[in-house]
Amino acid sequence: MDLTTTAATSAQPTGFTAWVIGVMETLGGPGAGMIIALENLFPPIPSELILPLAGFTASRGDMSLLGAVLWTTLGSLVGALALYWLGAKLGRERTRAVAAKLPLVKLSDVDKTEAWFAKHGVKAVFFGRMIPLFRSFISLPAGVEQMRLSTFALFTTLGSLVWNTIFVLAGYLLGQHWYLVEQYAGLLSRAVVITAALTVVVFVVLRIRNNRRDQAIAEAPTVQFARVQADHPTEEIRRIR
């Protein structure tokens, strides 16, 4: 079997992929939007797979290219709003209460995160929509911090529009070879996951080291100095020596 045949065989949709295509063929753009909304709520469902499939489905005439982009962007917004609402229901005080019970996490960490989000929240929402894994979770702190809903919706839509257009268009242009998009996007996803894991490891190591240092300082014996009389400090110091 040559490489062309192997590639063609691997491109045949099966399992979850076949189900996604079936929904899009049956429902068109709204079906693509519904699946992307679910992807936002359940991050293990990869948008890097669904969006190229929407483009591929559009290339076969089951929906328009513009419809695929618009409906998937609407689905992204709906899913993000659901997580925003969840974060808002959780609230700042509950978040702090949960953080206070977590090992190695200090309330000062929460304070720093809140300060950072207050300063960079708009950029975080916009660019966060273009980062695998984090594209869903960024909606939670936006809800917790009560970001203005209109601002959140606007920059979620803009960030999703950029991300969705790239992947839908790639799937549309590649046609039967849509799976190439998922393969290369998968490398990006793995890089993000590895980077996040390394960041967590570094945080844990540094926090444990700092905690041990603080504990050692707290347990170290303190030196008691003799009290110096204010009237004749020089004489008292000389006497102490």
Side-chain angles (χ1 to χ4, degrees):
M1 182 180 295
D2 58 24
L3 293 178
T4 303
T5 305
T6 302
T9 301
S10 62
Q12 294 300 317
T14 58
F16 178 74
T17 300
W19 177 79
V20 170
I21 293 177
V23 171
M24 293 181 184
E25 288 177 340
T26 302
L27 301 178
M34 178 188 71
I35 297 175
I36 283 295
L38 292 175
E39 175 267 330
N40 278 262
L41 297 174
F42 304 99
I45 301 177
S47 64
E48 302 93 312
L49 167 64
I50 298 170
L51 293 171
L53 285 174
F56 167 64
T57 305
S59 72
R60 303 203 312 186
D62 295 298
M63 58 180 163
S64 68
L65 177 61
L66 179 61
V69 172
L70 294 181
W71 277 106
T72 54
T73 300
L74 178 60
S76 297
L77 177 60
V78 170
L81 287 174
L83 291 175
Y84 174 93
W85 175 81
L86 181 60
K89 292 292 290 183
L90 179 62
R92 181 173 179 271
E93 294 306 319
R94 289 180 182 174
T95 301
R96 293 178 66 85
V98 171
K101 297 178 181 179
L102 295 177
L104 303 179
V105 176
K106 301 178 180 179
L107 287 180
S108 59
D109 298 325
V110 180
D111 295 334
K112 291 176 183 178
T113 302
E114 290 178 342
W116 183 90
F117 198 87
K119 185 177 181 180
H120 304 287
V122 169
K123 290 183 287 186
V125 169
F126 176 74
F127 290 107
R129 297 301 306 175
M130 294 176 255
I131 302 177
L133 187 64
F134 292 98
R135 62 191 311 272
S136 295
F137 294 132
I138 194 61
S139 302
L140 289 171
V144 170
E145 295 301 320
Q146 297 290 305
M147 173 183 279
R148 183 179 299 178
L149 183 59
S150 59
T151 301
F152 173 77
L154 173 62
F155 285 95
T156 294
T157 300
L158 293 176
S160 299
L161 181 61
V162 173
W163 177 265
N164 294 357
T165 299
I166 291 172
F167 281 87
V168 170
L169 186 59
Y172 182 85
L173 295 176
L174 287 171
Q176 290 287 345
H177 300 286
W178 57 267
Y179 57 89
L180 295 176
V181 184
E182 182 198 4
Q183 289 178 3
Y184 287 105
L187 296 176
L188 174 62
S189 298
R190 284 191 287 273
V192 170
V193 171
I194 292 173
T195 301
L198 289 176
T199 301
V200 171
V201 170
V202 170
F203 170 81
V204 170
V205 170
L206 292 178
R207 180 52 53 84
I208 292 176
R209 188 183 68 178
N210 291 340
N211 287 349
R212 288 178 177 174
R213 182 193 61 191
D214 294 342
Q215 183 178 2
I217 293 175
E219 294 176 352
T222 56
V223 179
Q224 298 294 330
F225 293 98
R227 185 175 180 180
V228 177
Q229 296 294 330
D231 295 337
H232 305 286
T234 306
E235 294 180 7
E236 291 293 334
I237 293 175
R238 198 176 291 124
R239 190 182 304 165
I240 292 172
R241 291 178 179 175

